[in-house]
Amino acid sequence: MEQVWGSAVVWVGLALLASLISWKAGLSVALIELIVGIAAGNTIHPEVTDWVSFLASLGAVVLTFLAGAELESAVIRRFWKQSLGLGLVSFAACFVTDLGTVIALGLLFTSFGPGFWLFLGATVRAVVILPKVVPPILRTLNVHSSEPEVRLVVLVLAVMAYLAVRGGSEGVLPAYLVGMVLADTFLANRELVRRLRATTFALLTPFYFLKAGSLVSLPAVLGSLGTVALFFLAKTGAKFVGLLPTGAAFGLGRRVNVYTTLLMSTGLTFGTISALYGLNHGIITQDQYSVLVVVIILTAIVPTMIAQAFFRPGQHDHDPLSVTKGGR
Amino acid sequence: MFRNVVLAFEGSEGSKLALRRTLEVAAGARVLVLAVGRIPEYAESIGEVEESKEQAERHYKARVEEAAAELRAAGIEAIARVDFGKPADVIQRIAEEVDADLIVLGTKRHSALSRRVLGATVDKVVDHAHCSVLVVRS
């Protein structure tokens, strides 16, 4: 028991440290958690226990669910071609951009055995049934201090993750689809989203990003700086090759198109999920994982910096995607 | 003397001093009491941004309303507003929007390291604002 609390002190301490740095510097907490994780993993070597891994996995699942639940169906219906097109091109060009990426990653991660077909059947049923059964259940459950609706969401995600892993896929992938089909329900229930988000950001996602960072070997990265630079340029360049023409085809103005392309270069969650999956399944070595995670961090920072500094759209730039959202 | 004043206010001791100084200099002016909630840069998800905005709204709303009420009690026309982004950028943008002729903000001493690494909002506002800036030191 003493050991459990000893680990808890270290990991929660790191989570708090990341939170304070993020607050003080005004930077994304996920990014800082990754960086703090890297620093800790190369100095104090926090032990990645089973319970840390469980909280990290649950954090990734709920975070992915929340990402899916951010998509309004009206916007998706109106922009499904752009969303799917950009997502798939983005993936094909490299990897990582939500909707298309989830589908592509789902197929990539899967071994097509009997478990996969069970998982696929369950996912299809869940996507159809959940939007019908969850809203009335939430209306009934939302009055108790034990937070039954939060527990219900976590249970659904746990069942889907179990089936996904059993089917040889990755637990986070159905979470995004479940989030998508429940997005309208959740957008109409802001308080539930707020509580779920608070729980996730406070206690779950720190473990995910800290753990992902702690597995990075800095000596491996320092020994492969050329590879890091090459991968960074390849990933960012591939985004440009794939996304700029696609964005132009969908009517984005030049400035907005470049801005969007640069922002779509980021992808901490799915990028680290892919890399962790590779590491956990022996597809890549720790050295390769280290290089990939550092590239993911760089692609989250550098393109965004360039976008904000040089390509921030003005009021008169043509942005068909912002029209239904009420503009900037 | 001044027509439109923007008072940057986040409830700190420095901004309370800035409020007191505004009471002295803003007679006859319209005052916008402005708090700026920071949106984390390089945010990974809409959720992270929304969470930051909601928390900032909850944190600052009562404070700016209270400061505006204090100004109104002194006979000064005042409204409160919470906005989001990089504080210096937002203060300048809104000052331009409302055609402010004075920005008032409080400041505290920063360490040299903090100033170099993080920058100070007051420095940026003084450097780039389109109008006069009154910096009240705590």
Side-chain angles (χ1 to χ4, degrees):
Chain A
M1 208 54 194
E2 187 189 337
Q3 182 55 35
V4 170
W5 289 111
S7 302
V9 168
V10 173
W11 284 98
V12 177
L14 291 171
L16 175 63
L17 176 66
S19 182
L20 294 175
I21 294 172
S22 161
W23 168 61
K24 196 72 184 164
L27 298 172
S28 160
V29 72
L31 184 64
I32 300 296
E33 281 161 358
L34 265 176
I35 293 168
V36 167
I38 292 174
N42 287 274
T43 50
I44 60 171
H45 309 288
E47 187 187 359
V48 181
T49 59
D50 285 348
W51 67 267
V52 169
S53 288
F54 170 70
L55 289 179
S57 300
L58 185 58
V61 166
V62 182
L63 186 64
T64 310
F65 167 80
L66 287 170
E70 286 161 355
L71 301 171
E72 294 171 59
S73 65
V75 175
I76 288 292
R77 272 196 294 276
R78 176 156 182 185
F79 296 115
W80 71 271
K81 285 181 192 163
Q82 288 91 329
S83 183
L84 198 62
L86 288 169
L88 288 174
V89 168
S90 174
F91 182 86
C94 197
F95 57 92
V96 180
T97 308
D98 293 2
L99 178 57
T101 307
V102 164
I103 295 167
L105 278 177
L107 296 174
L108 195 69
F109 280 156
T110 300
S111 56
F112 295 92
F116 166 73
W117 297 109
L118 177 69
F119 161 56
L120 186 66
T123 303
V124 171
R125 279 196 190 88
V127 164
V128 174
I129 293 170
L130 286 174
K132 292 174 186 153
V133 300
V134 169
I137 294 176
L138 289 184
R139 277 196 293 276
T140 312
L141 289 180
N142 71 359
V143 289
H144 197 267
S145 58
S146 63
E147 310 284 356
E149 68 273 50
V150 174
R151 297 179 190 198
L152 173 70
V153 170
V154 175
L155 176 64
V156 169
L157 295 176
V159 170
M160 296 306 296
Y162 166 74
L163 291 172
V165 172
R166 205 179 148 200
S169 186
E170 172 60 39
V172 298
L173 299 174
Y176 191 81
L177 296 175
V178 171
M180 265 183 71
V181 297
L182 292 179
D184 288 346
T185 306
F186 274 74
L187 287 169
N189 194 342
R190 302 300 305 173
E191 183 52 29
L192 173 56
V193 174
R194 199 190 64 72
R195 292 206 303 270
L196 194 56
R197 233 169 23 206
T199 310
T200 308
F201 288 164
L203 275 177
L204 297 178
T205 51
F207 287 97
Y208 172 69
F209 287 111
L210 286 169
K211 178 191 165 189
S214 74
L215 298 174
V216 169
S217 159
L218 273 184
V221 175
L222 293 174
S224 311
L225 286 179
T227 312
V228 169
L230 189 69
F231 277 15
F232 170 76
L233 291 173
K235 184 175 189 289
T236 312
K239 290 277 181 188
F240 268 83
V241 171
L243 289 176
L244 269 183
T246 314
F250 286 126
L252 296 181
R254 197 190 72 84
R255 197 177 180 84
V256 174
N257 199 5
V258 175
Y259 187 75
T260 308
T261 300
L262 284 166
L263 292 190
M264 285 176 79
S265 298
T266 184
L268 289 179
T269 305
F270 286 112
T272 49
I273 284 169
S274 309
L276 258 181
Y277 182 90
L279 181 65
N280 291 337
H281 289 77
I283 300 167
I284 55 173
T285 64
Q286 192 183 5
D287 288 2
Q288 291 167 328
Y289 169 85
S290 304
V291 168
L292 287 177
V293 171
V294 170
V295 171
I296 289 163
I297 291 172
L298 287 175
T299 51
I301 297 174
V302 179
T304 306
M305 276 174 78
I306 295 169
Q308 300 288 21
F310 302 110
F311 295 99
R312 190 182 292 192
Q315 286 185 333
H316 302 296
D317 287 303
H318 181 54
D319 179 5
L321 298 179
S322 80
V323 175
T324 51
K325 299 291 286 176
R328 280 170 288 276
Chain B
M1 184 180 170
F2 296 105
R3 290 174 298 109
N4 286 316
V5 176
V6 169
L7 166 63
F9 189 89
E10 21 73 292
S12 65
E13 284 309 309
S15 59
K16 284 176 185 163
L17 284 175
L19 170 63
R20 283 201 274 284
R21 185 53 63 92
T22 304
L23 283 163
E24 294 167 14
V25 301
R30 276 193 302 265
V31 178
L32 172 65
V33 183
L34 173 68
V36 183
R38 287 183 82 171
I39 294 177
E41 293 193 52
Y42 316 113
E44 171 60 4
S45 63
I46 298 173
E48 191 176 345
V49 173
E50 292 287 316
E51 182 72 12
S52 303
K53 286 171 88 169
E54 286 170 15
Q55 294 213 2
E57 178 87 31
R58 276 198 299 276
H59 182 78
Y60 289 125
K61 198 161 194 294
R63 287 168 171 79
V64 287
E65 292 287 359
E66 210 171 290
E70 196 171 330
L71 287 160
R72 284 194 292 271
I76 297 170
E77 187 183 340
I79 55 168
R81 177 168 167 181
V82 179
D83 214 303
F84 307 98
K86 292 182 184 177
D89 291 352
V90 175
I91 291 167
Q92 289 166 68
R93 175 171 56 77
I94 289 176
E96 284 176 29
E97 254 176 48
V98 301
D99 194 24
D101 46 7
L102 178 68
I103 298 170
V104 185
L105 67 176
T107 187
K108 61 179 180 182
R109 285 194 183 282
H110 293 275
S111 69
L113 178 67
S114 156
R115 215 175 186 98
R116 184 166 286 275
V117 175
L118 301 175
T121 298
V122 65
D123 290 349
K124 294 174 190 163
V125 174
V126 168
D127 283 349
H128 302 292
H130 77 288
C131 62
S132 302
V133 180
L134 174 58
V135 178
V136 182
R137 189 179 285 283
S138 61

